[in-house]
Amino acid sequence: KAKDNFQKALDLRKIIFGEEHIEVSHSYASLANVYDAKGEYEKAIQYQENALIIKLKILGEEHLEVASTYSNLGVHYESKGDYDQALKYQQKAFKIKMTILEENHVELADSYNNLGIIYKSKGEYKIAIDFQQKALDIRLKKFGLEHDDVALSFHNLGVVYSINGFPEIAISFFNKSLGIRLKIFGEEHPDVAHSYNSLSNSYLLIGNYNQSLRCQQNSIMIKLKIFGENHPDVATSFDNL
């Protein structure tokens, strides 16, 4: 449904504004994100490249919207599993942001976060931790403790430490993330369920099976309320149990 409506918006904007208009590029970008969510990564990349071509012509290279489009391309390539291409585009986005933004701008935190995710996927955990820590430092200064982006940074650090063989440190970060998410969202939210799931996996790694079980049960109860029984995330949680 999202794809159909974004396509209608794109068609109308082309009729009203012509091919090379910033609103047309926004429609291309929206469609790209939908295709990414559907797992159609080649189409996502194609539509995001269409958005990029228009933005470069209108805005030039050193513009935040262009940086955002490079970043989105990096996300699509990361989803596809092409981490070298993903890194290339995230680095382009980061370079533009470093040129036009102040040192501790929140947009730079987003780039640090995105770079950290790619280095994690490439198995370069020390670099991933460094970037995620930089993202966290900026977000803490900007937002304070009770913000979902701060919770995300704590969570992402937990993921890297868990994969890198430090589940005890991961548990500490996951608990910080969970505490923030519970305050912001309450019990019945997908991010809270995600935190419980990550905690469950880390407790499993240290052999604390009772705590792992409790966390996984919490995750399932939330997912069932939000998604119902016939949902892939619910199936994953039952599989973990």
Side-chain angles (χ1 to χ4, degrees), residues 104-121:
N104 290 318
H105 196 282
V106 70
E107 285 283 344
L108 285 174
D110 294 343
S111 278
Y112 285 131
N113 176 73
N114 293 334
L115 286 164
I117 289 169
I118 294 169
Y119 278 111
K120 181 262 296 179
S121 298

Side-chain angles (χ1 to χ4, degrees), residues 77-79 81-84 86 114-125 128 159-160 163:
Y77 277 109
E78 200 268 337
S79 298
D82 189 340
Y83 303 127
D84 289 335
N114 293 334
L115 286 164
I117 289 169
I118 294 169
Y119 278 111
K120 181 262 296 179
S121 298
K122 286 168 66 69
E124 298 182 44
Y125 302 125
V159 170
V160 182
I163 294 172

Side-chain angles (χ1 to χ4, degrees), residues 2 10 27 39 53 55 94 112 124 127 158 205-206 229 233 235:
L10 174 62
S27 285
I53 289 166
K55 288 178 181 179
F94 180 69
Y112 285 131
E124 298 182 44
I127 300 174
L205 290 172
I206 64 171
E229 288 189 356
D233 283 359

Side-chain angles (χ1 to χ4, degrees), residues 34-66:
V34 171
Y35 280 117
D36 187 282
K38 286 168 63 67
E40 298 180 43
Y41 305 125
E42 291 297 339
K43 284 187 177 179
I45 290 164
Q46 176 192 332
Y47 278 93
Q48 203 68 248
E49 285 176 343
N50 290 344
L52 178 64
I53 289 166
I54 295 169
K55 288 178 181 179
L56 282 170
K57 283 183 179 178
I58 296 171
L59 305 172
E61 181 78 19
E62 292 185 3
H63 193 281
L64 196 55
E65 278 211 37
V66 173

